[in-house]
Amino acid sequence: MSSPSDAKHTLINNRCDKKMTKTVLPATIIFLMLLASSCSNKETGLKDAFEGDFLIGTSLDARQILGTDKEAQSFIVKNFNSITAENAMKWENIHPYPGKYDFALADSMVSFGQKNGMFIAGHTLVWHSQTPDWVFQDSVGAPLTRDALIERMKDHISTVVGHFKGKVKGWDVVNEAVDEDGSLRKTKWLEIIGEDYIQLAFEFAFTADPGAEFYYNDYNNEFTDKREGVIAVINKLQQKGVKIDGVGIQGHWHLDSPDLNVIDESISKYASLGLKVMITEMEVNVLPTPPEVYGADVSQQAKYLESLNPYPGGLPDSVSNLLAQRYADLFSILLKHKDAVTRVTFWGVNDGYSWKNDWPIKGRTNYPLLFDRNYKPKPAYYAVIKEAEKQR
Ligand code: G3I
């Protein structure tokens, strides 16, 4: 299956393959010069279909950053113009021990992004998860005081944001601070510092790199109760004059949930606060979800049952078509809001890399992205391209 724009790209690329060293007539020379200039452009891919609408990003893991997956880097450059570290910038990785920062993997990702002119998103500075226990304890293991934890948070944010100053253009400053009912999540940050830990985090980030953008990022923040909680957090920051530029809706979505109207309404509500809206971790789960599991909380795990892993040998066409339709519907909403939506980032470059193969049940075979395990575009890819072309 191929789309018209794909056909156009293939045509240009095939022409580019031909050697242009023959003797030719003058008119033909001009044509060939024009063609040559198009040949000097990078290969076109997914991102190009949304040029002028919003950035198209992907998360990267160590195998892609370091190039151990040989095919990955050229594929990423072709299809994405924004990158986010799936794990490399999280506290436990970048600041594993007191006073010890490890920037090696994140630095490699940032230089890959810079070399290829990509928007580099920083994920994430303050989160309850993947943050080592020592962060909240003193040297004898007793809970830190409020002042000491503020100092530790300040050191972390200033060091990390300062290290990438001018390179990482936008930061998920605070991640997942609101619970499903809209109240603030009961984390160590909240318990020890109090509600103003969120404001302090944004202020420390701004001081470290005033030129960057700063975001609040969460999952399920399109559902009413949680959304109201997130809006309350944002209102408070704005009332205090704290710089917040955008909100990330992670977008860990399913074939049948959330309802499109909920997403539509949420983008409008967040945009009406004067914020950029980003879908920061998009994928569409196609496997059965155990009822006790919702959202994207990594601490939730369920037991493996064969009935919960129905497609180990490949996705049936019927489900693949449902996935394509779901992606088309989602992108039609995102394009409707293209004035507010600035970036859509997929959480994984292809199905094989998705965290959804191991969460909430380890060892399943999921198919939540636009590219299959061999980097081949799926029907969902063409459905998304078609949505982009409809509006041209
Ligand atoms: O790096 C170790 C490796 O050394 C070890 O051999 C292996 C054994 O399990 O674990 C590896 O670490 C894992 C890491 O992913 C890299 O694969 C961690 O156990 C695992 O917990 C970690 O999961 C990540 C999870 O966040 C927790 O940080 C997922 O890859 C990542 O996709 C997921 O992303 C989060 C976003 O940051 C925030 N929003 C929700 C989203 C999904 O949970």
Side-chain angles (χ1 to χ4, degrees):
M1 198 167 165
S2 71
S3 70
S5 80
D6 226 50
K8 186 177 83 193
H9 301 154
T10 310
L11 180 66
I12 293 177
N13 291 333
N14 285 346
R15 283 174 182 161
C16 293
D17 284 338
K18 293 189 180 144
K19 291 197 177 118
M20 287 184 274
T21 51
K22 291 185 224 158
T23 310
V24 280
L25 297 170
T28 323
I29 290 173
I30 294 169
F31 170 69
L32 288 177
M33 281 170 66
L34 288 171
L35 194 57
S37 76
S38 78
C39 293
S40 68
N41 291 336
K42 287 183 179 146
E43 230 189 328
T44 52
L46 179 62
K47 65 182 182 342
D48 303 287
F50 294 93
E51 200 177 344
D53 300 330
F54 36 69
L55 295 170
I56 296 286
T58 181
S59 63
L60 299 189
D61 81 358
R63 291 161 291 182
Q64 296 132 15
I65 296 170
L66 300 174
T68 38
D69 175 341
K70 298 271 178 277
E71 224 177 319
Q73 292 195 347
S74 57
F75 174 85
I76 290 160
V77 171
K78 174 178 168 184
N79 287 293
F80 303 100
N81 46 23
S82 174
I83 51 175
T84 307
E86 185 171 357
N87 292 302
M89 291 187 183
K90 290 174 182 172
W91 194 311
E92 69 177 7
N93 297 316
I94 212 162
H95 188 183
Y97 307 105
K100 186 189 177 307
Y101 286 87
D102 181 354
F103 290 112
L105 190 57
D107 277 345
S108 300
M109 189 195 84
V110 168
S111 38
F112 171 73
Q114 283 195 300
K115 189 174 134 213
N116 293 294
M118 294 165 156
F119 180 93
I120 303 163
H123 174 78
T124 176
L125 297 169
V126 173
W127 190 21
H128 64 281
S129 187
Q130 318 310 122
T131 304
D133 291 342
W134 65 258
V135 173
F136 306 102
Q137 297 166 355
D138 66 15
S139 54
V140 293
L144 280 190
T145 61
R146 168 182 154 91
D147 286 351
L149 186 56
I150 291 175
E151 206 38 55
R152 198 159 270 180
M153 178 168 86
K154 184 180 179 184
D155 168 72
H156 178 81
I157 294 177
S158 335
T159 307
V160 175
V161 175
H163 181 84
F164 295 111
K165 187 173 180 181
K167 298 176 180 169
V168 170
K169 303 290 187 189
W171 284 98
D172 293 338
V173 178
V174 175
N175 198 42
E176 302 170 9
V178 176
D179 235 324
E180 302 307 298
D181 65 358
S183 64
L184 285 184
R185 191 188 279 272
K186 312 293 174 281
T187 65
K188 291 271 179 217
W189 295 111
L190 181 68
E191 192 188 307
I192 298 175
I193 298 181
E195 282 189 23
D196 59 341
Y197 85 87
I198 299 176
Q199 177 184 339
L200 289 166
F202 275 84
E203 288 172 346
F204 294 149
F206 175 74
T207 305
D209 185 1
E213 292 185 342
F214 304 110
Y215 318 130
Y216 175 80
N217 191 50
D218 215 326
Y219 62 81
N220 283 356
N221 52 342
E222 59 277 21
F223 292 107
T224 318
D225 290 350
K226 192 158 180 173
R227 185 176 72 204
E228 290 312 309
V230 170
I231 289 175
V233 166
I234 293 165
N235 282 336
K236 227 175 236 174
L237 293 174
Q238 290 181 325
Q239 278 156 16
K240 300 214 161 171
V242 175
K243 184 175 185 281
I244 171 165
D245 300 281
V247 61
I249 297 174
Q250 292 183 6
H252 294 294
W253 288 329
H254 302 264
L255 281 178
D256 56 358
S257 162
D259 196 274
L260 293 172
N261 295 329
V262 170
I263 298 172
D264 191 357
E265 188 181 274
S266 294
I267 297 174
S268 300
K269 289 220 175 216
Y270 288 129
S272 74
L273 303 175
L275 297 179
K276 297 179 173 178
V277 180
M278 284 143 281
I279 310 301
T280 51
E281 304 180 15
M282 188 180 196
E283 92 260 310
V284 175
N285 169 53
V286 301
L287 298 183
T289 313
E292 68 277 16
V293 175
Y294 52 86
D297 182 346
V298 269
S299 68
Q300 294 184 308
Q301 284 287 331
K303 200 170 149 256
Y304 182 91
L305 292 174
E306 258 175 35
S307 60
L308 296 176
N309 187 26
Y311 320 120
L315 193 63
D317 286 349
S318 56
V319 187
S320 178
N321 293 338
L322 288 176
L323 182 70
Q325 187 56 52
R326 176 70 169 154
Y327 263 112
D329 293 343
L330 290 168
F331 269 83
S332 101
I333 300 287
L334 300 178
L335 286 164
K336 174 180 157 193
H337 291 283
K338 65 184 180 188
D339 289 344
V341 175
T342 55
R343 170 166 58 93
V344 177
T345 289
F346 291 88
W347 210 237
V349 287
N350 74 30
D351 284 343
Y353 282 110
S354 172
W355 74 294
K356 283 288 190 169
N357 292 300
D358 287 309
W359 188 89
I361 297 171
K362 272 207 179 308
R364 296 199 296 176
T365 310
N366 214 326
Y367 304 83
L369 296 163
L370 300 186
F371 299 96
D372 73 12
R373 286 164 167 74
N374 298 312
Y375 292 104
K376 196 166 155 270
K378 294 157 59 176
Y381 168 90
Y382 295 111
V384 159
I385 298 281
K386 201 161 147 200
E387 284 307 309
E389 282 170 353
K390 265 191 202 166
Q391 44 142 18
R392 303 285 178 219

